[in-house]
Amino acid sequence: MNLEENLKKLYEDIELAKDHSNFCRDVKLIAVSKTHPVEMIKEFNKLGVTDFGENKVQELVSKIEDKEIENKLKNNKINFHLIGNLQTNKVKYIYDKVELIQSLDRIKLAKEIDKRAARDNIKVDCLVQINIGNEATKSGIKYEDTEDFIYELLDYKNINIKGLMAIAPNSPDETLLRKLFEKMNIMFENISSKNYVGVEMKYLSMGMSHDFKLAIEEGANMIRVGSKLFGNRNYN
């Protein structure tokens, strides 16, 4: 597999999608490295990719313990994002090590993140995850609860809300996907207009390997792409 070719093709597809979008937004790539070896992360980092997404805390911790990765983290040459469901008892392992927790979806989790961050006198950047397709198998708050949830989060002074994240249904129905991405963008702009203290709608994180072009066309400025870069996942 030629990782450089995969990355080049992805960048070309991103630019094409931006050309077809009505939104003039830069797009930040999160390379989803879950289940893939740390050597592939290092290879993509040499090619200029700085941000990587992991689903599981244990796997994320094992990767950032690699000496080369650890040094790059200290020098801000590489960043990790927790993009999967985060259990409260796992917060202590990663709250101060990730660029973004992209899956904040309940107050109990916010309390734990805030408590840990307050002890260290730091602020933790998070995205609010919305279950845009109302899927029972996916995490995230209900779309209609977004504003109330963010209002509750204002009490947690050691959390910075940096935007919204959603995982669309794995569907071939482009009309459905567009509609859901459009709804996310409407909420993103609605929350932006409120100017809440500690809330910055900087990132609209939506779109994966199968639907990132549609997501960008509908306003995404952060995409999470795995298989198009790394190839099929290895669950062994």
Side-chain angles (χ1 to χ4, degrees), residues 37-47 52 66-69 72 78:
V38 74
E39 286 73 21
M40 293 181 82
I41 294 175
K42 293 176 186 177
E43 189 63 34
F44 275 120
N45 189 238
K46 286 176 186 172
L47 294 170
F52 296 86
D66 177 274
K67 288 301 178 189
E68 187 179 334
I69 297 292
K72 286 176 179 287
I78 201 165

Short mmCIF file of all heavy atoms in Angstrom, two decimals, residues 37-47 52 66-69 72 78:
data_model
loop_
_atom_site.label_atom_id
_atom_site.label_comp_id
_atom_site.label_asym_id
_atom_site.label_seq_id
_atom_site.Cartn_x
_atom_site.Cartn_y
_atom_site.Cartn_z
N PRO A 37 -0.92 0.14 13.24
CA PRO A 37 0.31 0.22 14.03
C PRO A 37 0.89 1.63 14.09
O PRO A 37 0.66 2.45 13.20
CB PRO A 37 1.26 -0.74 13.30
CG PRO A 37 0.73 -0.82 11.91
CD PRO A 37 -0.75 -0.67 12.02
N VAL A 38 1.65 1.87 15.14
CA VAL A 38 2.23 3.19 15.36
C VAL A 38 3.20 3.57 14.24
O VAL A 38 3.38 4.76 13.94
CB VAL A 38 2.91 3.23 16.76
CG1 VAL A 38 4.21 2.45 16.75
CG2 VAL A 38 3.11 4.65 17.24
N GLU A 39 3.76 2.58 13.57
CA GLU A 39 4.69 2.86 12.46
C GLU A 39 3.98 3.60 11.33
O GLU A 39 4.57 4.45 10.65
CB GLU A 39 5.31 1.56 11.92
CG GLU A 39 6.36 0.94 12.82
CD GLU A 39 5.77 0.28 14.07
OE1 GLU A 39 4.56 -0.05 14.05
OE2 GLU A 39 6.52 0.11 15.05
N MET A 40 2.70 3.28 11.10
CA MET A 40 1.95 3.97 10.05
C MET A 40 1.66 5.42 10.45
O MET A 40 1.65 6.32 9.60
CB MET A 40 0.65 3.21 9.74
CG MET A 40 0.88 1.86 9.10
SD MET A 40 -0.67 0.98 8.73
CE MET A 40 -1.13 1.72 7.17
N ILE A 41 1.43 5.64 11.72
CA ILE A 41 1.25 7.01 12.21
C ILE A 41 2.52 7.81 11.95
O ILE A 41 2.47 8.95 11.45
CB ILE A 41 0.91 7.01 13.71
CG1 ILE A 41 -0.45 6.36 13.95
CG2 ILE A 41 0.94 8.43 14.29
CD1 ILE A 41 -0.82 6.19 15.42
N LYS A 42 3.65 7.23 12.25
CA LYS A 42 4.94 7.92 12.04
C LYS A 42 5.15 8.22 10.56
O LYS A 42 5.64 9.29 10.20
CB LYS A 42 6.09 7.05 12.56
CG LYS A 42 6.10 6.87 14.07
CD LYS A 42 7.22 5.91 14.48
CE LYS A 42 7.16 5.59 15.95
NZ LYS A 42 8.20 4.60 16.35
N GLU A 43 4.75 7.29 9.70
CA GLU A 43 4.92 7.49 8.26
C GLU A 43 4.05 8.64 7.77
O GLU A 43 4.51 9.51 7.02
CB GLU A 43 4.55 6.19 7.52
CG GLU A 43 4.91 6.19 6.04
CD GLU A 43 6.40 6.32 5.76
OE1 GLU A 43 7.21 5.80 6.56
OE2 GLU A 43 6.74 6.98 4.76
N PHE A 44 2.80 8.68 8.18
CA PHE A 44 1.93 9.78 7.77
C PHE A 44 2.40 11.10 8.37
O PHE A 44 2.28 12.15 7.73
CB PHE A 44 0.47 9.51 8.18
CG PHE A 44 -0.28 8.68 7.18
CD1 PHE A 44 -0.81 7.45 7.53
CD2 PHE A 44 -0.46 9.13 5.87
CE1 PHE A 44 -1.51 6.68 6.60
CE2 PHE A 44 -1.16 8.37 4.94
CZ PHE A 44 -1.68 7.14 5.30
N ASN A 45 2.94 11.05 9.58
CA ASN A 45 3.46 12.27 10.19
C ASN A 45 4.63 12.83 9.38
O ASN A 45 4.75 14.06 9.19
CB ASN A 45 3.88 11.99 11.64
CG ASN A 45 4.23 13.25 12.40
OD1 ASN A 45 5.33 13.39 12.92
ND2 ASN A 45 3.30 14.18 12.51
N LYS A 46 5.47 11.94 8.85
CA LYS A 46 6.58 12.38 7.97
C LYS A 46 6.04 13.03 6.70
O LYS A 46 6.70 13.89 6.11
CB LYS A 46 7.46 11.18 7.61
CG LYS A 46 8.35 10.69 8.73
CD LYS A 46 9.11 9.45 8.31
CE LYS A 46 9.89 8.85 9.49
NZ LYS A 46 10.48 7.54 9.15
N LEU A 47 4.85 12.62 6.30
CA LEU A 47 4.22 13.18 5.09
C LEU A 47 3.44 14.45 5.39
O LEU A 47 2.79 15.00 4.51
CB LEU A 47 3.29 12.13 4.46
CG LEU A 47 3.97 10.87 3.89
CD1 LEU A 47 2.94 9.81 3.52
CD2 LEU A 47 4.82 11.23 2.67
N PHE A 52 -4.24 12.82 14.60
CA PHE A 52 -4.67 11.43 14.49
C PHE A 52 -5.79 11.14 15.48
O PHE A 52 -5.82 11.67 16.59
CB PHE A 52 -3.49 10.49 14.76
CG PHE A 52 -2.39 10.63 13.72
CD1 PHE A 52 -1.41 11.60 13.86
CD2 PHE A 52 -2.38 9.83 12.59
CE1 PHE A 52 -0.42 11.76 12.89
CE2 PHE A 52 -1.40 9.98 11.62
CZ PHE A 52 -0.41 10.95 11.77
N ASP A 66 4.95 5.31 22.95
CA ASP A 66 6.08 5.12 22.03
C ASP A 66 6.99 6.34 22.15
O ASP A 66 6.54 7.48 22.11
CB ASP A 66 5.55 4.98 20.60
CG ASP A 66 6.67 4.84 19.58
OD1 ASP A 66 7.18 5.89 19.13
OD2 ASP A 66 7.02 3.71 19.24
N LYS A 67 8.28 6.10 22.33
CA LYS A 67 9.23 7.20 22.63
C LYS A 67 9.24 8.27 21.55
O LYS A 67 9.27 9.47 21.84
CB LYS A 67 10.64 6.63 22.82
CG LYS A 67 10.82 5.86 24.12
CD LYS A 67 10.51 6.74 25.33
CE LYS A 67 10.64 5.98 26.63
NZ LYS A 67 10.14 6.78 27.78
N GLU A 68 9.24 7.87 20.29
CA GLU A 68 9.26 8.85 19.20
C GLU A 68 7.98 9.68 19.19
O GLU A 68 8.01 10.91 19.02
CB GLU A 68 9.45 8.14 17.86
CG GLU A 68 9.65 9.11 16.70
CD GLU A 68 9.87 8.39 15.38
OE1 GLU A 68 10.34 7.22 15.39
OE2 GLU A 68 9.56 8.98 14.33
N ILE A 69 6.84 9.00 19.39
CA ILE A 69 5.56 9.71 19.43
C ILE A 69 5.51 10.64 20.65
O ILE A 69 5.05 11.79 20.55
CB ILE A 69 4.38 8.71 19.50
CG1 ILE A 69 4.34 7.84 18.22
CG2 ILE A 69 3.06 9.43 19.71
CD1 ILE A 69 3.97 8.57 16.96
N LYS A 72 7.36 13.78 19.92
CA LYS A 72 6.62 14.64 18.97
C LYS A 72 5.46 15.34 19.67
O LYS A 72 5.13 16.48 19.36
CB LYS A 72 6.13 13.80 17.79
CG LYS A 72 7.23 13.42 16.80
CD LYS A 72 6.71 12.52 15.70
CE LYS A 72 7.80 12.17 14.69
NZ LYS A 72 8.16 13.29 13.82
N ILE A 78 2.76 16.46 16.73
CA ILE A 78 1.72 15.47 16.51
C ILE A 78 0.64 15.67 17.57
O ILE A 78 0.93 16.09 18.70
CB ILE A 78 2.32 14.03 16.58
CG1 ILE A 78 1.42 13.02 15.86
CG2 ILE A 78 2.58 13.58 18.00
CD1 ILE A 78 2.12 11.69 15.59
#
